[in-house]
Amino acid sequence: MNNEPHPALNALSILAGKRFPRTAEYDHSWILGNTMGPNPLWLAEWLCERMDLRPGMRVLDLGCGMGLSSIFLAREFGVQVWAADLWVSPTQISKNLHAANLTDRVFPIHADARKLPFADQFFDAIVCVDAYIYFGTDDLYLDNLVKFVRPGGQIGIVVPGFMQNIDGKLPEHLRPFWAQECWSWHTIDWWRWLWARTGLVSVETADSLADGWRLWAAWEHAAHAIDNPDAAQDDPG
């Protein structure tokens, strides 16, 4: 039996190991086998560099997918996590939680982001990794979400986006990749404007991941190389 890692996974480890030391401790094969797009642990690790998560905090992982980001948050920061997703059932998420021995700290919930079943001010923080574009571009969505965070709490999101606005005709080089959901991709300035204008939150950080497109492309290359169609469905080219 050959237990050597796939060459594409070795390349990922070399590329991102120093940038994402926490994620480097996790099995990339496991991540690829459970992901629904870009590497959720890379994104969660980058996001949490700008957040203040402490043991015992209650955290909502909104749009958690298969629960990988929830597992990461619980393990790395000692927080309690409510893993909420509309497309993935709690039973599916629970399989990963059992394997990670985290059923006492991560609680899977089937929930629509627009109809969250939580008490006001229940959470210390809300995290959303690669899912906010599916509901959060609504002008009024933040009004609904912010009520679930205690005063002084935190909301952090990671989304795909553009460095420049697309005005008018769609550039030709984007057409092979483009899907209708991509119209929800925006710039950093757009997101800052969307949140800051409400007066509901103080936007402390709005930033882009350096060489994020290179990392995403490398991840998709690895996904194609080991034939994981779910991870490979979003190819940034």
Side-chain angles (χ1 to χ4, degrees), residues 88-104:
V88 181
S89 74
T91 299
Q92 290 176 281
I93 298 170
S94 289
K95 292 178 182 178
N96 281 326
L97 301 182
H98 279 286
N101 196 28
L102 284 172
T103 55
D104 61 335

Side-chain angles (χ1 to χ4, degrees), residues 12 17 53 59 165 191 195:
L12 281 178
L53 299 181
V59 177
N165 287 316
W191 283 106
W195 284 29

Side-chain angles (χ1 to χ4, degrees), residues 10 12 26 49 96 103 123 132 145 160 178 180 182 205 209 234:
N10 284 331
L12 281 178
Y26 293 77
E49 291 171 359
N96 281 326
T103 55
F123 294 105
Y132 200 80
L145 184 65
W178 198 260
Q180 282 300 310
C182 297
T205 302
L209 175 60
D234 300 317

Side-chain angles (χ1 to χ4, degrees), residues 156 169 202 207:
K169 187 178 179 181
S202 173
D207 201 358

Side-chain angles (χ1 to χ4, degrees), residues 11-24 28 42 45:
L12 281 178
S13 297
I14 294 171
L15 175 67
K18 292 183 179 180
R19 177 61 186 86
F20 304 107
R22 292 179 183 268
T23 302
H28 274 108
W42 286 350
E45 183 167 350

Side-chain angles (χ1 to χ4, degrees), residues 2-11 13 27-29 226:
N2 183 8
N3 293 321
E4 289 296 320
H6 193 285
L9 299 183
N10 284 331
S13 297
D27 181 359
H28 274 108
S29 297
I226 67 172

Side-chain angles (χ1 to χ4, degrees), residues 131-145:
Y132 200 80
I133 56 170
Y134 295 107
F135 42 81
T137 56
D138 185 323
D139 286 345
L140 300 179
Y141 183 72
L142 188 61
D143 298 62
N144 174 64
L145 184 65

Side-chain angles (χ1 to χ4, degrees), residues 29-41:
S29 297
W30 172 74
I31 302 172
L32 276 167
N34 288 278
T35 194
M36 301 172 70
N39 188 322
L41 269 60

